[in-house]
Amino acid sequence: LDFYTLLTELHDDDDDDGATQSPRDILKGKRIVLVGDLKHGRTVHSLVKLLGLYDVDLVYVAPASLMMPTTLIDFVRHLQRATQRSVP
């Protein structure tokens, strides 16, 4: 899943005022669950860095051996916007 698709799928089509929603508005308060090989996936690493800039709840679901690298978890934590948690 890429950032564009994420925004497209979460966009509120019932928005009657015709105003364009910003990515920040679309993502605010959303829980995004990332599942699978989070350790080796370059695309998921890039997505997490980008999503870390927004007010989202990131949930990482993977076996311990394939969990998101601590360097990326620390990177997102340093941005102080997104919340994170890991589920084995």
Side-chain angles (χ1 to χ4, degrees):
L1 186 64
D2 60 272
F3 191 68
Y4 174 79
T5 305
L6 188 63
L7 293 178
T8 302
E9 292 298 318
L10 294 175
H11 176 65
D12 183 10
D13 290 332
D14 296 332
D15 189 11
D16 292 337
D17 64 5
T20 302
Q21 289 181 302
S22 71
R24 188 165 309 281
D25 293 335
I26 293 170
L27 293 173
K28 186 173 184 168
K30 298 290 193 277
R31 176 174 295 143
I32 300 171
V33 180
L34 303 164
V35 180
D37 182 353
L38 305 178
K39 182 176 183 178
H40 299 106
R42 291 183 301 155
T43 54
V44 75
H45 293 176
S46 297
L47 183 59
V48 164
K49 287 178 182 177
L50 182 59
L51 289 173
L53 298 172
Y54 296 92
D55 177 22
V56 296
D57 178 23
L58 297 173
V59 180
Y60 308 126
V61 180
S65 62
L66 298 174
M67 192 51 73
M68 185 66 69
T70 56
T71 54
L72 285 169
I73 292 173
D74 292 342
F75 177 84
V76 173
R77 184 178 299 122
H78 178 72
L79 296 174
Q80 297 180 346
R81 288 190 180 94
T83 59
Q84 307 174 89
R85 58 192 155 119
S86 299
V87 179

